[in-house]
Every structure is written in structure tokens, then in C-alpha cells.
Amino acid sequence: MFVYSVFLLRIKLLHQLKETGVSSEEIQHHQYYNQVVLDVKRILKCFPPGINENIQADLQVKVTELIIRVLIANEGLHYYQGFHDIAITLLLVLGEEKSYSVLCRLSQSHFQLFMGPDMEPTMEILNLVYALVKNENRDLYNYLIRSELGTIFCLPWAITWFGHVLNDYETVVRLFDVFMFSHPWISMYLSNVVVLHRASDIFLTPCKMPLLHQMLSNVPDNLPFDSLITETEKLMRTYPPDVMETVVREMHAENIRKIKEEDEERKRRMEQRKAALQGKHTKAAIERWTPWSGFRNLRSQTAKVVALSVSVATFSFIYNYVRPNIEIF
Amino acid sequence: MSYAYLFKYIIIGDTGVGKSCLLLQFTDKRFQPVHDLTIGVEFGARMITIDGKQIKLQIWDTAGQEAFRSITRSYYRGAAGALLVYDITRRDTFNHLTTWLEDARQHSNSNMVIMLIGNKSDLESRREVKKEEGEAFAREHGLVFMETSAKTAANVEEAFINTAREIYEKIQEGVFDINNEANGIKLGPQHLPSNANTPSGGASASQGGACC
């Protein structure tokens, strides 16, 4: 069933592309074509509730086309999972052609940061959340740092403009309206405001990374987003992006340095443990092959030296005096 | 709830192979035909019993797309076990195993137990990767192998529990330093470190209180 519907989706898509003037070969050979087709099949959650099944299938075809066209027009930008959440929201509001122009434009400005070969640059800027919490609520900052929560919990918030995490379509569209006309980092500023707003929930959660990650990952749909947006704008004026950039980059460099240090410490401990285990094995092997077990039990150093001297003397005596008299040697 | 040990797991593999569905089946005993995409990482936990001891599994489910690889790598570090998943109906997901394995070995602690999983075993008619191929790959790379179905729950319990059993055996052999949480193993709140011959230094594993 799944394969069949993906197949139908592709056929429909190729048929439509002929009409829009984009070569189907160009589309089919695009490095992200298969990925986008698969991902688009999974975005049912993003569709408004109660939407007709046929319309849904049609939208799936259109959003795939939209994404590939934008990628073709912006060579060098990479598709990431979550970009399709953005595309579907724009398509639903603006229709095919307008959404294409807007998504193209936004990919060059707002989404460019997320569309590199990997998410490393995004992770660097996500430190903004911590930099701002540190300025606004020091206790909360200390709590989050102590829990080793990291920033990955708000990655989907930032790169999908909350489209992946909120179920309420009206709220998502409202946020898109604001984000589109603001600085590209606004989704990260809002992420910070959401964290600050949920401070009391955070303090009620044990200071453990998994628990906090899980709690924060579930963004309630009923947050007062209008007032949070006002807060976000205020915060952007107090701590403008160009001022915060240096702080954020320094934080990231510090994080990388810490990770490297921890890695080295971990490797050192593992080597130490390996050596300790090997030592244990060697000792066991020596014990297994020591001919006179009583020798092993001699505790004092002097006793060992005496025992060794006696052994050597006995052997020398046998070798020099007994051996010449015995034919067998 | 009290536990003797906590083991950290990571689930890795290409996008769409059923990583999140395996986790959901294991933690909630249910199947979601179209699971929402994982962006970044998600988390699940469940208690199991091995050798009469309660063991808490803390499982990190990661995004499969290449773009997120640099982020999810940091989760390898603190993991004691990994489920490396491919889809038996998609040959490309099997072909990418070597890259995943190299990545896991490079960024994890060398004792991490890796279980190779061929998922979607219920879709026999669409099979593209033979069971023998999975077995051969596992043998060649020293992994444990299993075919599972997150849909029918076949072998799902076994996959998670057998991995835990391997880790548990390694602890008994003294291979894992249980006093170092960076290995993905933590002693339960009531179980103070008793292993005197473990190398000293570093954080104590027992901190008490609720833990996830």
C-alpha cells in the first residue's frame, strides 16, 4: 500500500512538473528527490484537521515539487528534514507560485544557516538560548547547565519555526507571519522566551538531562504566544543579534574544548582500565605457571631473595658436581 | 522505582528504517504506521529484569538523516549499547551500515555493545536483504544480529533485552568501569560502588534521588 501510494505520488508529481516547465529528469536526478518524497509522505500531522483525503494527496505532490524547485534554484543549499514542515505551511497559505518565491527568498536569508551540509553552524547559534537565559535568569541558567541538557531539545523549534512541534495550525501560521519579517535568528530568540516562560515547570522537573529534554520537547499548544512574541521582540532590542554573535561563538568554542577534554579523559581512563585488566591477566598467567606455589606466598622481600639464592645455588651444584657423574646428561 | 543499573542505549540507522517505531513498541507496546519524523533526538525509558536484577534502559532515538549526524554523534559517547537498524525492504539502508558502524566505533567507547537489527521482518514479500546477509555482516563485524518487526513486535523485546544481557555480562567480567558514567552505565541509587579494583578518580556513579 505504502509503495503503491509513493509510486502514485511520483507519477503525479512528474506529470505536474511538465506543466511547470521544470525538467522531470532534473528533478528525478536531484540528490534529495527520494528523501523528499519519503518525508512528504510522513507529514500528515502538519495538515489541518478535517482536510479531504484527495486534497491531502494533491498537496503532498505540490509540496514535493515546491521543495525540489527551491533546491534546484539554490544550488549549494542542502535539504534537511524539517524543511518540508516549512514548505507545507507556506504552500497552504500562499499557493504554489507565491510559496515558491517566498521559500526561495527565505532559503537565502532565514533558512540558509540550517541548509549547510550539516547542522554544526546551527548548533553554534543555538547557544544563543543559553546566552540569553544567562542574562535573564541566572538560577535557571545554572539549573540547566547542571543538568547537562544541551541545546538539542530546541533544534526542531528553531529549524521548523515551531511547525514540527505545535499542533495548532493557527499558532504556527501566526508565528510564520512574525518570523518572516524579523531577523533570521528570531526562532532562537523565541525558543529562549519559551524556556524562560517555562522556568517554574523546569524547576519542578528533577535536574536530569533526559527528564528535562522530554519535558521541554513537548511544547504545549496553549502557551500565550502573543505575549511571548512581544517578549521576544523586547529581548531582541535588549540583546541584538550582532552583539550576541561574539558571545555565542565563544560559548560554542568553549563547549567544543570541553568535549575534547572529556573525550581525552575518557580515553585515558579506558587505556588505564585496559592496562589494569591486562596486568591482572598477566599476573594470573604467571601464577598459573610458577612451578613452586610456596614461592608465590613468600611475602617479605628478604625471604624471596633467600629462596631465589638457594634455588640458584642448588641448580649450580647439580650442574657442576652431579651432572658430570651421570651419564644421562 | 529502584534499579540496580541504568544502561544508556542509542538507536541509529538510516531515516525511515523504523527506529522510533522500535522504541515505541518496546516502551509503549504499540505501533504507529506513520510515525512522525525524528528531528534531533527523542527519548524513551523502560525497566527490565536480568539475572533477578532491575535494570533501567534509557534509550536515545536519533534522527537518521545525514545532516543531523554531527549532532547525534555526541550521543554515542555516553552509550553502553547501540541498536544499529536497517530496513530489510530497502537495500540502500543495508548498504549504509558500514558508514554507520565506522561512525559508531569512532565516537563511542570501545566496549559499547552493538546489536544489528534488520527491521520490518513482517514485510516478507518486499524483502530486499536476505537474513543470511544480515547474519554475515554481523559475523564479519563482531555484532549480535536479529530480525525484528516493530509492527508485530516480533523480536523487539529480545533485541533490547539481549543487548542489556551482553552489557551485564561485560560488567560481570569487569570490562566496563561502572564508576564512570561516561561508559553509559550507572549504578542505582541504593547500590553503592563496591568494585574496589576499578581505577580511581572521576565522578561517583551513585548520586541518589530520582533518575531517568
Side-chain angles (χ1 to χ4, degrees), chain A residues 243-258:
Chain A
V243 174
M244 295 311 288
E245 189 166 355
T246 326
V247 182
V248 164
R249 297 210 190 276
E250 276 171 10
M251 275 178 109
H252 189 66
E254 176 65 14
N255 288 345
I256 288 180
R257 192 190 58 76
K258 260 192 210 158

Side-chain angles (χ1 to χ4, degrees), chain A residues 123 130 147-156 209-210 212-214 217 259 263 266, chain B residues 8-12 39-43 58-63 68-82 103-104 107-109 112 181-184:
Chain A
M123 293 311 283
Y130 276 80
S147 74
E148 298 181 344
L149 173 68
T151 49
I152 205 163
F153 72 92
C154 58
L155 176 76
M209 187 266 196
L212 283 169
H213 178 90
Q214 203 166 28
S217 294
I259 289 171
D263 271 358
R266 188 172 48 86
Chain B
K8 274 189 205 170
Y9 279 16
I10 180 168
I11 313 182
I12 52 174
I39 296 178
V41 295
E42 278 166 19
F43 165 77
Q58 184 189 91
I59 308 150
W60 291 96
D61 172 26
T62 64
F68 297 101
R69 201 77 73 89
S70 63
I71 302 168
T72 50
R73 262 185 206 129
S74 60
Y75 286 79
Y76 289 130
R77 272 196 286 274
D103 220 36
H107 295 94
S108 68
N109 85 64
M112 182 166 84
E181 270 187 53
N183 285 327

